[in-house]
């Protein structure tokens, strides 16, 4: 099932190589741009910027033998936040 979900996300356009091109509701880039309009390449640990992807620590990550802490990277664009919030309401 996880492979099916993974491939559906690719079909919807989610690919790590495209994160730097995400835009806000007004069409403005969520990441910094060069003069030529391409995303700025940095040696930062988060090349997409905190407007697109953030690192979180999940303290409730379930494994076979219990629960552990795990660092995860999550998409945090405004529409994803709203969708995630609405999804959790159900």
């Amino acid at each position: 099932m996880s492979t099916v979900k993974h491939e559906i996300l690719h079909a919807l356009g989610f690919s790590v190589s495209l994160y730097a091109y995400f835009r806000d509701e007004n069409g403005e880039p969520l990441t910094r741009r060069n003069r030529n309009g391409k995303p700025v390449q940095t040696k930062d640990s988060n090349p997409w910027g905190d407007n697109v992807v953030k690192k979180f620590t999940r303290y409730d990550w379930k494994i076979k033998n219990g629960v552990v802490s795990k660092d995860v990277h999550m998409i945090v664009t405004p529409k994803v936040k709203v969708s995630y919030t609405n999804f959790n309401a159900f």
Side-chain angles (χ1 to χ4, degrees), residues 33-88:
R33 302 287 190 206
N34 289 327
R35 279 185 272 156
N36 64 4
K38 300 247 183 199
V40 173
Q41 297 293 319
T42 66
K43 293 183 181 182
D44 187 355
S45 61
N46 184 359
W48 310 287
D50 287 339
N51 292 327
V52 178
V53 175
K54 281 189 181 178
K55 183 177 178 181
F56 295 93
T57 301
R58 296 279 308 265
Y59 297 98
D60 58 348
W61 197 266
K62 295 177 184 175
I63 62 170
K64 180 180 177 182
N65 297 325
V67 178
V68 297
S69 296
K70 179 177 175 76
D71 290 336
V72 296
H73 290 85
M74 297 179 74
I75 294 176
V76 293
T77 59
K79 285 189 179 184
V80 171
K81 282 184 184 178
V82 169
S83 296
Y84 184 75
T85 301
N86 291 338
F87 177 77
N88 281 334

Side-chain angles (χ1 to χ4, degrees), residues 3-31:
T3 302
V4 171
K5 287 188 240 178
H6 175 92
E7 294 306 325
I8 288 171
L9 288 172
H10 281 303
L12 292 172
F14 285 92
S15 176
V16 72
S17 63
L18 298 175
Y19 292 170
Y21 293 94
F22 282 13
R23 295 178 175 270
D24 67 15
E25 65 219 19
N26 300 316
E28 297 296 321
L30 291 172
T31 55

